[in-house]
Amino acid sequence: HNAAASGDCATLDALNVDQQALTALSGEGDFCIHVAVMQGKTEMARHLLKLGAAVDSTNYQERTPLHYAITRLQKDMIV
């Protein structure tokens, strides 16, 4: 989650992220893809999707990454 928040794709790759890591929840109940979107890290969000992160995943608040992209006016994340 720290790599996703920082937007550091190289660190994420070095960690050899697997599906289990992509589906792990943070202490706040968010997946890595949620964290990347909430932090405005577009390249990281795209990278996570290429690695297999689920675009329709819901966090503890039952929000998807798209919800955060829309509410934070992150137009470059909305395709």
Side-chain angles (χ1 to χ4, degrees):
H1 292 90
N2 290 334
S6 72
D8 188 352
C9 295
T11 297
L12 193 72
D13 288 340
L15 294 172
N16 292 318
V17 173
D18 60 6
Q19 194 61 34
Q20 183 178 0
L22 290 174
T23 58
L25 292 170
S26 70
E28 292 79 33
D30 296 308
F31 293 100
C32 288
I33 188 72
H34 288 90
V35 173
V37 171
M38 286 188 279
Q39 294 298 319
K41 305 298 182 183
T42 304
E43 290 307 313
M44 175 58 76
R46 289 181 181 147
H47 193 68
L48 288 165
L49 291 172
K50 287 179 186 175
L51 292 174
V55 71
D56 59 348
S57 60
T58 56
N59 62 8
Y60 280 145
Q61 297 176 336
E62 296 190 20
R63 305 277 167 88
T64 66
L66 180 61
H67 170 86
Y68 292 107
I70 291 170
T71 59
R72 292 166 191 244
L73 303 175
Q74 296 170 338
K75 296 177 184 177
D76 56 331
M77 291 204 199
I78 303 167
V79 212

